[in-house]
Amino acid sequence: MSVVAQLAVFPLDKGGAGLSAYVARVVELIRESGLPFALGPMGTSLEGDFEAVMAVVSRCFAALSRDCDRVYMTLALDYRAGRSGGLASKTASVDAVLEGRK
C-alpha cells in the first residue's frame, strides 16, 4: 500500500526564531530511511509503503520528544491503490496543465 505523506514536526518549547536544527534532525531521519522525499518550506513530503512511512513518522516524533517537552506535528496521508512514483507524478501533472496554458 503506497502512500504520499506530508509531515511537519517541530518543538514548541524551544523559543526563538531558529528551529532549523530540529527540522534538520527530522529530515536526516527521513533521508536515512531511503524513502523518496521532498523538503518544502512548511513540511516534508515522503512516499512509501504505509508501514514504512509510519515507522519514519514515529522515529521523527521520538527523536524530538527526547529533548523537547512540547512537539507539534501535522500529518496528511494520500493512499491510492496501485500507485508508485506519486511524489513526482502529482506535481508533474499540475506542471503539464500549466504548460498547456502557455
Side-chain angles (χ1 to χ4, degrees):
M1 173 184 346
S2 178
V3 297
V4 173
Q6 173 74 20
L7 173 67
V9 57
F10 52 88
L12 291 177
D13 63 331
K14 297 305 176 185
L19 298 176
S20 298
Y22 296 96
V23 173
R25 189 188 317 174
V26 168
V27 171
E28 186 60 31
L29 289 170
I30 295 169
R31 179 180 291 150
E32 289 171 358
S33 77
L35 296 175
F37 76 95
L39 176 63
M42 298 295 291
T44 302
S45 297
L46 59 153
E47 180 178 16
D49 179 73
F50 177 81
E51 288 80 13
V53 168
M54 294 309 293
V56 172
V57 169
S58 180
R59 285 195 298 274
C60 292
F61 175 78
L64 291 188
S65 66
R66 279 195 289 275
D67 62 345
C68 301
D69 292 328
R70 188 170 180 196
V71 176
Y72 177 86
M73 177 186 286
T74 62
L75 175 64
L77 296 173
D78 176 17
Y79 162 74
R80 186 171 182 178
R83 174 181 56 199
S84 63
L87 196 60
S89 67
K90 288 174 81 69
T91 55
S93 65
V94 174
D95 288 341
V97 170
L98 292 171
E99 280 297 314
R101 292 184 179 172
K102 288 184 177 180

